[in-house]
Amino acid sequence: MKQPKPERMENKMRILIYTGKGGVGKTSITAATGVKIARSGKKVLMMSTDQAHSLGDSLNMRIGGQPVHVADNLDALEIDPIEESEKAWGNLRDYIKEIISEKANGTLEADEALMFPGLNELFSLLRILDAYDSNRYDVIMVDCAPTGETLSLLRYPERLSVIDDKLLPSVRSMNNTFGGLIQRRTSVPKPRDQVFTEFDGLVKRLDRLQQILRDRDVTSMRIVMTPERIVLDEARRNYTWINEFDFGADAVYVNKIYPEEAMKGYFEGWARMQEEGLKLADESFGSCKVFRLGLQSSELSGIDMLSSAAEQMYGDTDPSQVFSKEPAFTMEEEHGTRIMVIRLPYAQKDEIRLEKKGEDLVLAVRNETRRFKLPDKVSRRRLTGWDFEGGRLRVRFDYD
């Protein structure tokens, strides 16, 4: 008997994607937040797409590739990227593998030739789309791989679209014209149209997923860091990339803050560096909400400890809300000049001060200072001028 579809949730579903440098406590922050939201009465699915899964360790229970009940309103799963890759494009991959093996006469390992970096992990993200379409949850939380891998995944659908738009039509045409001849001359059978249809469907699913991930009312990227300068610099680059790729970041987390009583004597130098790091975090992430969590007296593991940490971070704040939908900046180009556009709706021109320091743009308005880690495309250029009109600051960068 056909099962009825679950009823659509009254409120719009939320997708929260947690990213950050390895070792900053990203999984613990994700898990603590999930526990907090679930205890508010919303149904939550937490999923890990990081191959080095540690979500089960944080929850202090064993979980696998299918949703496991963790607590009231809370499910969790750890995704196997290899399994997701097999489901996503197994037929086309096997066909290409046969062609490579035939042409290479056994001198090239076909499996190695088809190992596109990050592709398996990308297909893991399709589980987000499956969960979104199921309508069973109010909030989907994703514990992603470390920073660089995460951003590569978010760009991959565009690359696959190019393959689908440019390469596959040619291959499909050759298959229709010469497929029988290839089959007679080699041991490679003519591929069925189903192979191409499956890949077309895959690209369309990835494209739809990317649209959902770019919808700032639905999806928020959240960056986890510690107050050390090296970690902060990567988090700031991460924030820049997220904006450059047109995704929305609405919150950042400064984790493992050392308590004042621990920063005396030998560690006084660390206290000064931590204070500078916290100030830099407050200046660097635009309208994002900044949450802080002190270093805990023991490892965060289990529902009760995660709940305690969440109360320290959030208090009465609902972590599933959208804290900001404002892009940090947008980029334009005019006759070879790169222009960085920043919205400052309540500023006056005579209140604005700008300076390029290394690869940073330092913006001061009244007594507030914001720092932007510049995109690669302008970081090596010279700041040649700016104008301000209608609440839009337009900063020009040119080569010398």
Side-chain angles (χ1 to χ4, degrees), residues 302-316:
I303 298 296
D304 291 339
M305 290 193 66
L306 292 169
S307 179
S308 174
E311 291 306 314
Q312 294 173 49
M313 280 191 294
Y314 298 112
D316 295 331

Side-chain angles (χ1 to χ4, degrees), residues 14-299:
R14 291 281 282 131
I15 299 172
L16 308 178
I17 298 179
Y18 285 78
T19 181
K21 188 177 178 67
V24 297
K26 172 173 51 67
T27 300
S28 299
I29 296 290
T30 306
T33 305
V35 170
K36 168 82 171 174
I37 297 172
R39 288 190 168 182
S40 75
K42 294 179 180 178
K43 281 193 67 66
V44 178
L45 173 66
M46 290 193 294
M47 58 172 65
S48 169
T49 63
D50 189 347
Q51 272 193 307
H53 295 300
S54 57
L55 183 56
D57 298 330
S58 286
L59 297 170
N60 200 18
M61 65 181 298
R62 186 172 182 176
I63 59 179
Q66 297 301 320
V68 172
H69 178 72
V70 176
D72 288 347
N73 297 318
L74 182 60
D75 295 343
L77 63 89
E78 292 178 335
I79 298 168
D80 181 349
I82 305 298
E83 182 180 332
E84 297 306 316
S85 176
E86 184 66 33
K87 288 193 297 187
W89 78 308
N91 287 332
L92 180 62
R93 186 201 57 206
D94 289 346
Y95 173 66
I96 297 173
K97 189 192 301 184
E98 286 186 73
I99 294 176
I100 292 174
S101 298
E102 181 75 24
K103 293 290 184 185
N105 296 318
T107 60
L108 178 68
E109 287 293 337
D111 285 328
E112 291 182 12
L114 290 169
M115 287 177 61
F116 302 111
L119 199 57
N120 290 344
E121 288 75 15
L122 171 69
F123 295 141
S124 298
L125 295 183
L126 287 171
R127 292 294 293 272
I128 300 174
L129 185 61
D130 293 339
Y132 180 85
D133 286 339
S134 76
N135 296 313
R136 295 184 183 277
Y137 299 96
D138 298 296
V139 182
I140 300 167
M141 305 187 60
V142 186
D143 176 26
C144 272
T147 305
E149 296 175 48
T150 300
L151 294 170
S152 294
L153 300 186
L154 296 176
R155 295 188 68 181
Y156 241 116
E158 296 174 4
R159 300 174 188 175
L160 285 181
S161 292
V162 171
I163 294 174
D164 191 51
D165 293 340
K166 304 286 178 62
L167 177 62
L168 280 194
S170 299
V171 175
R172 186 184 286 108
S173 176
M174 288 181 63
N175 176 59
N176 291 335
T177 306
F178 301 111
L181 178 62
I182 292 173
Q183 184 172 350
R184 290 193 296 273
R185 295 285 182 88
T186 72
S187 61
V188 179
K190 177 182 176 181
R192 296 166 298 169
D193 288 339
Q194 179 187 354
V195 170
F196 300 106
T197 302
E198 286 177 3
F199 192 77
D200 284 336
L202 169 63
V203 173
K204 287 181 174 62
R205 290 186 71 208
L206 287 169
D207 183 62
R208 181 163 167 264
L209 173 63
Q210 195 170 59
Q211 291 177 27
I212 293 169
L213 296 182
R214 284 195 166 126
D215 183 344
R216 285 175 166 82
D217 287 317
V218 175
T219 302
S220 298
M221 303 276 296
R222 296 182 172 178
I223 305 168
V224 183
M225 71 201 81
T226 55
E228 289 81 12
R229 183 57 190 259
I230 292 175
V231 179
L232 271 162
D233 282 344
E234 178 168 319
R236 293 163 69 232
R237 284 191 294 271
N238 190 356
Y239 179 63
T240 297
W241 291 330
I242 287 169
N243 280 278
E244 193 172 1
F245 298 155
D246 195 28
F247 295 96
D250 78 332
V252 298
Y253 296 78
V254 187
N255 191 22
K256 301 182 181 179
I257 301 172
Y258 290 101
E260 187 177 341
E261 58 269 24
M263 307 292 280
K264 295 177 181 176
Y266 181 81
F267 293 101
E268 283 183 2
W270 282 97
R272 186 171 56 256
M273 287 187 288
Q274 177 169 281
E275 184 179 346
E276 291 171 356
L278 293 172
K279 182 175 182 293
L280 183 61
D282 287 336
E283 294 175 350
S284 297
F285 299 98
S287 59
C288 285
K289 182 81 170 173
V290 180
F291 293 102
R292 297 183 178 186
L293 181 64
L295 183 68
Q296 303 296 293
S297 58
S298 58
E299 191 175 8

